[in-house]
Amino acid sequence: MPTIALYVCPQTVCSSLSMAMDAFNLANHVAGRSLFTLQRFSLTGQPVDLGFAQIQVDGDLSLAEDADLILLAASGSAIDRTLTDNAALLPWLAQRPPQQQVASLCSSAFLLAAAGMLTGRRATTHWALATTFRQRYPEVSLHIEQLVCEDGHVLSSGGAHAGLDLCLHLIGQHGGAELAQQVANALVFDSQRGSQSRFAPLLPPIQTHCPLAPLLHWLNLHYAQSIDLNRLAAHANCSARTLLRRFKSSTGLTPNDYLQRVRISAAQQLLRGPLALEQIAEQVGYGDRATFAKLFKQLCGESPGAFRKRVRQADA
């Protein structure tokens, strides 16, 4: 009977904590027995004030020493404050033995990384935190497209609902795939949701002070045309080499990568309408459907057909 110790701190996102507890409690109910034992712990063993609610805990760090799984609920986007306030947790996490699973939901992957638990490992977190995470922890192999990552005894998940994906994954590990599916069904949750890429915006926002803003706006109007680096450089009144440097600095992308994302973003809007895939491919600048479909899946994590089906179901 696995014991799960859930860490609570002032930055804990209450919905993330309650979602995890609900999932494992529901697994116990569906299984008809106490398959999972849940405990909450804090640094000091004292109740934790979340501002609008006070969370009772069962003990301090020593309580979780013998747990089978340590689970860090999401801790919000104030990364510096979270790392500072939970500094005492980091060396304790670093000492976790390999037989003890440790899992983070969403932004709490920063706590695992700061403790050195993700060095040389695969991990994920919320797509909006990817740039910050990579800058802080280049030694971690970040797979931001994945909803759930497991590398050895360390697990991580992406955004809010990906935390439920991770909980279902753990329920499947310890209680079987059938139980995990029953819990997903009871929660009316699609456990086959593909990748996190489907939810991340394809393009960074155009900042008004960006020196390339006029060129980016022009690209957003003329993306379907035949455009190469020399044409863009001429439009920006600079050399191709200079444009490459400025483009990467301003957008984090190469001009060609940006162009493909503009085209695929336009295709996403057209897929909400009645046009055939061949027509959409042509309208956004691709000569054939195969090239369009391949790039679409690379950037969006699903095929154009799957995207169309999903958004139409959502609109309905």
Side-chain angles (χ1 to χ4, degrees), residues 52-102:
F52 62 92
Q54 189 176 73
I55 304 299
Q56 300 296 316
V57 297
D58 303 297
D60 59 12
L61 296 181
S62 62
L63 176 77
E65 293 283 350
D66 298 322
D68 299 288
L69 166 68
I70 295 169
L71 184 62
L72 309 180
S75 48
S77 58
I79 305 302
D80 289 331
R81 180 67 181 270
T82 297
L83 294 177
T84 298
D85 288 357
N86 295 278
L89 176 73
L90 304 184
W92 182 84
L93 281 176
Q95 297 170 5
R96 295 306 90 216
Q99 67 268 23
Q100 187 177 48
Q101 286 185 309
V102 181

